[in-house]
Amino acid sequence: MIVVEWMTLDGVVQAPGAADEDTSGGFKYGGWHLRYFDDTSRKWVVDNLNQAGGFLLGRRTYEVFAAHWPNASEEEQVVARPLNSKPKYVASTTLAEPLKWQNSTLLRGDLGSAVAALKQQDGGDLHVIGSARLVQTLVEQDLVNEFRVMIDPLVIGGGKRIFRDDGARRPLRLVDSQVTTTGAILATYAPVEG
């Protein structure tokens, strides 16, 4: 299970792509991430999508993606193709099947058990994109094998984060890193065993 996130230096992951993406809680900085893309980070995004065996998404991220990627422009196809063609598993208690986006399956029952079962299947690593609340649950249940984050040189001061302020200590080790021309850091971390 690989978590892939765009985040600010202070850990905010809310609404990186558009002003109206997620204004919950009065969030007013939507679209903060786009100015930090360069060729290196674009390649990182595409490589992550192509390496994924499938995707695990929370309801809100699923709905945003399902509304956009099936109708993506020709220039967006490098991102749309893997998102549209690979399996998608959706964690939601409010959606019902059938899900309209191709290759999408609603997870049933206990989330931890459902995700543990998915991890046992063949088919490559599952990538979680966005989905802050889902990621928080996966972290709490020790179901994340790797964090791949693009950390932008920006502090927003508030918004949704993937790590709760819960007092839990979770050591990580740096697996890979590089710095983009915009000053963002592309970093891969894995939990330290024991």
Side-chain angles (χ1 to χ4, degrees), residues 4 6 42-55 57 65 69 76-86 125 127-129 148:
V4 182
W6 299 333
R42 278 190 276 280
K43 180 182 182 314
W44 180 81
V45 168
V46 171
D47 287 350
N48 274 306
L49 293 171
N50 286 324
Q51 291 168 9
F55 303 98
L57 306 171
F65 282 17
W69 292 114
E76 294 176 309
Q77 287 303 310
V78 68
V79 172
R81 272 187 215 96
L83 286 171
N84 288 327
S85 64
K86 295 184 180 192
D125 294 326
H127 287 210
V128 185
I129 303 171
R148 295 180 186 174

Side-chain angles (χ1 to χ4, degrees), residues 12-16 19 22-32 156 158-160:
V12 175
V13 298
Q14 185 171 353
D22 179 3
T23 58
S24 64
F27 190 74
K28 59 185 177 190
Y29 298 115
W32 52 266
I156 291 180
K160 294 179 183 174

Side-chain angles (χ1 to χ4, degrees), residues 48-123:
N48 274 306
L49 293 171
N50 286 324
Q51 291 168 9
F55 303 98
L56 176 60
L57 306 171
R59 180 197 49 84
R60 183 186 301 267
T61 301
Y62 170 81
E63 288 177 337
V64 169
F65 282 17
H68 179 77
W69 292 114
N71 307 305
S73 68
E74 186 55 41
E75 73 177 19
E76 294 176 309
Q77 287 303 310
V78 68
V79 172
R81 272 187 215 96
L83 286 171
N84 288 327
S85 64
K86 295 184 180 192
K88 291 160 288 291
Y89 302 95
V90 184
S92 172
T93 57
T94 58
L95 293 177
E97 289 190 302
L99 297 175
K100 63 181 179 178
W101 192 13
Q102 66 195 36
N103 303 317
S104 295
T105 304
L106 189 61
L107 293 180
R108 301 230 180 260
D110 175 69
L111 179 64
S113 299
V115 170
L118 285 174
K119 287 178 69 167
Q120 298 304 314
Q121 294 179 4
D122 291 334

Side-chain angles (χ1 to χ4, degrees), residues 35-42 150 153 178-186:
R35 65 184 269 189
Y36 297 104
F37 270 127
D38 69 354
D39 290 343
T40 300
S41 57
R42 278 190 276 280
M150 180 172 174
Q178 57 185 314
V179 179
T180 71
T181 61
T182 64
I185 298 170
L186 305 173

